Amino acid sequence: MSENVISQPFEKQQAFAQAIFESLPGLMLITAVALVANFVAPILETYPLFKTYLSLKDFILAIIIGIAIRNTVGVPAVFQPGLRYSTIMTKTGIVVMGSSYSLAGLVSVGGQALVFIAVFLFGTALIMMWLCNRLGMSSSLGACLAAGMSVCGVSATIAISPAVKAKNEDMAYAIAVVLMFGLLALVAFPLVGRLFNLTAEQFGAFAGVGIINSAQVLAAGFGYSPEAGKVAGIYNIGRVIFLPFVVLMLALMAAAQEAKQGNEVVKINKLQMIRDKFPLFILGFIAIVCMNTMGMLSKAEIKVAKVFMEWAFLLGFASIGLTTRLSDLRAAGLKGFLFGFGVAGLKAVLALVAVLYFMK
């Protein structure tokens, strides 16, 4: 028995070392894509087309290069283990981004952000569920679409799926719609921002409310300007905070629809769902903000944190690009494409009107 107790820590260390070793090729590929994007982006900015109209900063370029590689030459299996850390990288970047804020600044931006987010998130979720019900879609598909289109894209779709017993096809359909709009938004939103001459604060809010997927919110925001990226980051955090509450609302609505149709209803533990879905990394972000507010971070440390944040995002976005298969987008089909883009497009237009009218 004592030998088994001694061998367990060794086996865990061995498994950890093996996981790191297997991840190295993928991490090296991610780093290569990030470095190329970081090198090429300033060169593109020297050309009038990219300087004035089609701004492709390194964050957006990393996603595009990754997608191009994945869907042309492909990514061999040896690289796959290292591509699973995109969420960790982007969440780490968000936590470190706290060094750019004080509590006063966070409240000044975040107060208005929470109002905007609450209206658009819950409004979109309710309208999506109503539309899906009117169109005769299943409650599980409707909940997946409503979560994905209202909160934070893919992660929200995955979060709601167990609560509504969603089929794999429902998830694939919703994720395809989210990704299709998000890829277009990466290029279209900065163009719209420059067309309407949006300030950094306005564009950050526009992207934070109008773009569906969390990573694409950050990529578009920082692609517009560093200041817009910070504002978009606050809106993104606000959306993630609301995630468990929107998921709970949609799960209850889906259960009510199933009960109305006489089907088996999933029992929902409301408190457990909120606790399970709450994004703990937000607490890390708030802790860093508090440290900066209390003067615990020097100017040199804040500068280092900014560089670390930018590379955490850049590596995360490169990984997202390398794992995006355009063939998956076919899951939604033409009907899903039109339906998803119609709702997402209307949400984006309303978001633009809101920032132009309320954020002068």
Side-chain angles (χ1 to χ4, degrees):
M1 182 176 177
S2 59
E3 289 181 1
N4 290 335
V5 173
I6 294 172
S7 65
Q8 284 179 1
F10 176 74
E11 289 174 358
K12 289 181 180 179
Q13 291 175 1
Q14 195 174 35
F16 180 70
Q18 185 177 354
I20 293 177
F21 180 76
E22 291 176 349
S23 300
L24 284 177
L27 293 173
M28 291 172 67
L29 177 60
I30 292 169
T31 304
V33 170
L35 287 170
V36 170
N38 185 255
F39 176 77
V40 173
I43 297 175
L44 291 178
E45 289 291 318
T46 62
Y47 293 91
L49 172 65
F50 295 100
K51 185 176 182 180
T52 307
Y53 302 104
L54 190 60
S55 179
L56 293 179
K57 297 293 176 64
D58 52 359
F59 292 111
I60 297 175
L61 202 57
I63 295 177
I64 293 173
I65 293 172
I67 291 174
I69 293 172
R70 176 77 191 207
N71 296 278
T72 52
V73 297
V75 179
V78 68
F79 295 104
Q80 297 298 332
L83 304 182
R84 60 191 174 193
Y85 301 110
S86 59
T87 301
I88 294 175
M89 292 172 183
T90 52
K91 286 182 178 178
T92 301
I94 290 172
V95 170
V96 177
M97 189 172 66
S99 63
S100 302
Y101 300 93
S102 64
L103 280 175
L106 187 62
V107 170
S108 66
V109 176
Q112 187 180 48
L114 288 176
V115 175
F116 269 49
I117 293 164
V119 171
F120 275 89
L121 260 62
F122 288 97
T124 303
L126 290 169
I127 290 170
M128 284 293 295
M129 285 296 285
W130 179 80
L131 283 174
C132 290
N133 188 37
R134 293 283 294 180
L135 293 172
M137 296 182 180
S138 67
S139 60
S140 59
L141 175 57
C144 285
L145 279 170
M149 302 291 282
S150 62
V151 194
C152 45
V154 175
S155 57
T157 303
I158 294 171
I160 189 67
S161 58
V164 296
K165 290 187 176 180
K167 300 176 184 177
N168 288 337
E169 307 91 82
D170 296 336
M171 292 180 62
Y173 183 105
I175 290 171
V177 172
V178 166
L179 291 178
M180 279 192 293
F181 183 80
L183 292 175
L184 177 64
L186 281 175
V187 177
F189 269 58
L191 284 173
V192 172
R194 286 177 172 79
L195 179 64
F196 285 90
N197 198 28
L198 298 183
T199 64
E201 185 178 354
Q202 286 177 320
F203 185 83
F206 175 45
V209 172
I211 298 179
I212 302 169
N213 216 24
S214 293
Q216 291 157 347
V217 168
L218 294 167
F222 281 103
Y224 192 75
S225 74
E227 293 75 21
K230 292 176 184 177
V231 176
I234 293 298
Y235 275 78
N236 188 55
I237 288 170
R239 289 175 10 162
V240 173
I241 289 173
F242 278 116
L243 172 62
F245 303 100
V246 175
V247 167
L248 175 60
M249 181 189 76
L250 292 173
L252 292 172
M253 291 179 69
Q257 285 186 19
E258 290 295 312
K260 188 176 180 181
Q261 296 168 5
N263 298 327
E264 183 182 353
V265 178
V266 180
K267 290 184 179 180
I268 300 170
N269 185 326
K270 302 179 184 64
L271 185 60
Q272 182 70 33
M273 179 173 286
I274 292 174
R275 187 165 57 242
D276 290 345
K277 306 300 181 185
F278 187 81
L280 293 177
F281 73 94
I282 299 299
L283 301 179
F285 170 83
I286 294 173
I288 299 295
V289 171
C290 292
M291 289 174 63
N292 190 36
T293 303
M294 292 185 290
M296 296 173 65
L297 300 176
S298 66
K299 289 183 178 180
E301 288 170 336
I302 292 173
K303 187 175 181 180
V304 170
K306 180 176 179 293
V307 174
F308 182 89
M309 174 198 73
E310 290 174 350
W311 278 98
F313 284 145
L314 192 56
L315 292 168
F317 296 154
S319 180
I320 289 169
L322 288 165
T323 54
T324 301
R325 295 180 298 186
L326 296 179
S327 60
D328 291 343
L329 304 184
R330 288 199 294 266
L334 180 60
K335 182 181 177 181
F337 178 88
L338 295 174
F339 176 68
F341 266 65
V343 175
L346 177 60
K347 180 183 177 183
V349 170
L350 292 175
L352 178 61
V353 172
V355 298
L356 287 172
Y357 186 78
F358 293 105
M359 299 180 66
K360 296 179 180 179

